[in-house]
Each structure stands twice: as C-alpha cells, then as structure tokens.
Amino acid sequence: MHVYISRIAPLWCPAMARLNWHGQIADVANSCRTYHITPQSLARLKQLIAASFSGSRDWASTNDVISAFIWRSIMMARHKAGILAMDGTTSLAQPVDCRDHLGLPQPYFGNAICMTNSSIPLQALADPGSGLAEAARLVRGAIKDVTAEKFRDLVGYAERTEREVYTRMNILEELLTGGIIMTSHFKFDLHSVDFGPAFSRDGDGHMKALRLPAQGTMAGAVIFTPKLADGSCEFLVTEQDSTLAALESDDHFKQFMHREHPTPGNDVQ
C-alpha cells in the first residue's frame, strides 16, 4: 500500500518523472486502445463471476468485476505473447481516493491517494470462472482494507521517514511483466458537464466520448473513463503491441468487450 498526498495537485513531481522513465523504455512499442462493454455484456460478466462465488458474503461492484476481467485478460494476453510465464505472479494496483477518510476541510484542492496492490499467481488467475471470482475478491478486499485509521497511520509514517523506498510505487518495476495500474473515473459524471457551445462540433457543449492519444501512455496503464449515458463503460489499455494483438484474438475477451470506434462528428480528443 502506497500513499501520495499534495495540498495542490502538481503539474510535475519526482514521482511523475519516474512514471515517465518507466513508460519510455527503449525498443518497446506501446499502443493505447479503447475498449467498450455494453450494459448487457456487463450483466453477463457479473453473472459469470457470481456463479463462482462460494459464500453469501461474496459481493463485487461494477469496478471489481471489470477490474478482475481486465486483469485476467491482460495477463493471459501477456502469457500468449511470451512475456509472462504461466508460473509467474501477477499484480494489480489501484489508487483509492481517501479525501473522505481524512475529513479534509472545504474547499480542498489536491490529492489524497492510497495505492492498493493485490497479487495472484497466473495459474490461479487463468481459470475464466474461479480465477475471475478470486480476482474480484482481491480487488474488493484491497479497497475495503483502505480505512481511515490505516490511511492516517500511513500518512504519519510517510511524514516521519525520508527513505523513499518504503513509500514508492514498487509496482512500476513490474509493469512490463506481471503488473498493471488501473485508475477508474467511472463514477465521475463527466458527460453531464456543459463546457459551452464552442466545445463540441454540434454545439451543445457536452462531451460525447473521451479519447486519449493512440500512443504515449506508459505500458501497463489501464484507465476507466466516466460511465456513458446508456450505462456502458469504456476503458483505455496501454500495452506492448504483441500483448494487444494477443488480447484481441482472445475469444473469451471478445465475448464481452469490443473495440470502440469514434463516430464521425462525435470523437473528442
């Protein structure tokens, strides 16, 4: 578990520089692609995972279900691409917003983020039923484990030590092998924001779809974009080209996800 706090969100900091160093590894071709899951496919995915839950206390949110599915899909694609061995270990990191835990006064501008880190052997993750269910349990457990007391203890520890090794994001060293960082903006109601008539091509001021650059994000990064009006979800995956090719040839992945192509006139960069 890692912590990052700033009173005012910085445009640049040493941690961001390290992220860029890891994302710009020589001789590694990366691409960013956007995928889409419909409400109907999401319901089927939830049913698949629920069928493998073993107890009445098992429960998974939409974030947990999609996170588990993407986690497994990317790792199986890396295995197929020859990047990750079947006896390897996989890890998923997710930033959790802890501003509510700290009871920060209003107005507050900045970040109070705790980074979770869950791990599972690829052999256990590989099963499309039990592997997905266990991944969803791990995601839910890691998020629930971020309590106000634990976060305050971690903040106090970070303030008492200058030894960066104890608070740095060690997931960075795993991003090209068995690790991914997943960030969710799913609950942010971006599409209801009126940016003014000059913003979009049809002049109504509302974003139709969020699109990020085709290249440039670090490998191992997954970003959930805000939920669309119809309840569907899009997410951006940045991976090596060989991993993306394996991902898009995976029949299990294609049962639920598909590439989203911007509609002419509605694509917003």
Side-chain angles (χ1 to χ4, degrees), residues 213-262:
Q215 291 182 324
T217 307
M218 65 180 179
V222 180
I223 301 173
F224 288 13
T225 60
K227 181 173 66 174
L228 299 175
D230 64 357
S232 63
C233 179
E234 292 184 329
F235 54 92
L236 179 84
V237 173
T238 306
E239 282 292 326
Q240 298 182 59
D241 291 341
S242 58
T243 300
L244 289 173
L247 182 67
E248 294 183 356
S249 66
D250 184 341
D251 290 336
H252 189 258
F253 181 79
K254 292 189 292 184
Q255 287 181 32
F256 300 95
M257 310 286 186
H258 65 272
R259 287 282 300 275
E260 184 68 5
H261 299 285

Side-chain angles (χ1 to χ4, degrees), residues 19-242:
L19 288 175
N20 187 59
W21 296 336
H22 282 78
Q24 303 297 324
I25 297 175
D27 302 323
V28 177
N30 299 330
S31 293
C32 305
R33 295 183 189 173
T34 300
Y35 298 94
H36 180 264
I37 181 169
T38 65
Q40 296 77 19
S41 294
L42 181 56
R44 289 193 293 112
L45 185 57
K46 288 181 176 179
Q47 291 172 356
L48 174 64
I49 290 179
S52 295
F53 279 161
S54 57
S56 59
R57 294 185 178 181
D58 277 334
W59 176 84
S61 70
T62 298
N63 171 79
D64 305 335
V65 167
I66 299 178
S67 297
F69 183 77
I70 296 174
W71 186 1
R72 178 190 178 275
S73 298
I74 289 178
M75 294 309 163
M76 293 304 295
R78 288 184 182 178
H79 172 66
K80 186 176 180 180
I83 296 171
L84 180 63
M86 184 56 72
D87 61 356
T89 298
T90 73
S91 298
L92 169 68
Q94 286 188 310
V96 177
D97 189 341
C98 293
R99 286 174 292 181
D100 288 342
H101 290 334
L102 294 176
L104 295 170
Q106 297 295 329
Y108 175 82
F109 300 94
N111 300 307
I113 294 170
C114 186
M115 186 76 77
T116 69
N117 195 338
S118 305
S119 298
I120 185 174
L122 181 58
Q123 288 180 333
L125 184 63
D127 187 277
S130 62
L132 279 177
E134 182 59 25
R137 286 190 195 97
L138 289 170
V139 172
R140 174 56 22 198
I143 293 174
K144 289 177 64 177
D145 196 43
V146 181
T147 63
E149 293 76 15
K150 184 168 291 187
F151 187 73
R152 289 193 180 96
D153 287 346
L154 188 59
V155 171
Y157 178 80
E159 290 175 344
R160 290 194 305 270
T161 181
E162 296 180 356
R163 299 178 66 183
E164 177 198 2
V165 66
Y166 294 110
T167 54
R168 68 188 177 92
M169 292 195 295
N170 56 12
I171 188 71
L172 295 177
E173 282 78 16
E174 304 174 34
L175 290 183
L176 288 181
T177 53
I180 55 176
I181 295 177
M182 195 172 295
T183 304
S184 176
H185 305 289
F186 187 72
K187 293 184 178 180
F188 177 40
D189 193 12
L190 178 67
H191 300 283
S192 70
V193 179
D194 188 345
F195 292 95
F199 180 77
S200 59
R201 293 179 182 177
D202 59 9
D204 74 349
H206 291 277
M207 181 175 288
K208 306 303 184 296
L210 179 62
R211 294 291 179 262
L212 298 172
Q215 291 182 324
T217 307
M218 65 180 179
V222 180
I223 301 173
F224 288 13
T225 60
K227 181 173 66 174
L228 299 175
D230 64 357
S232 63
C233 179
E234 292 184 329
F235 54 92
L236 179 84
V237 173
T238 306
E239 282 292 326
Q240 298 182 59
D241 291 341
S242 58

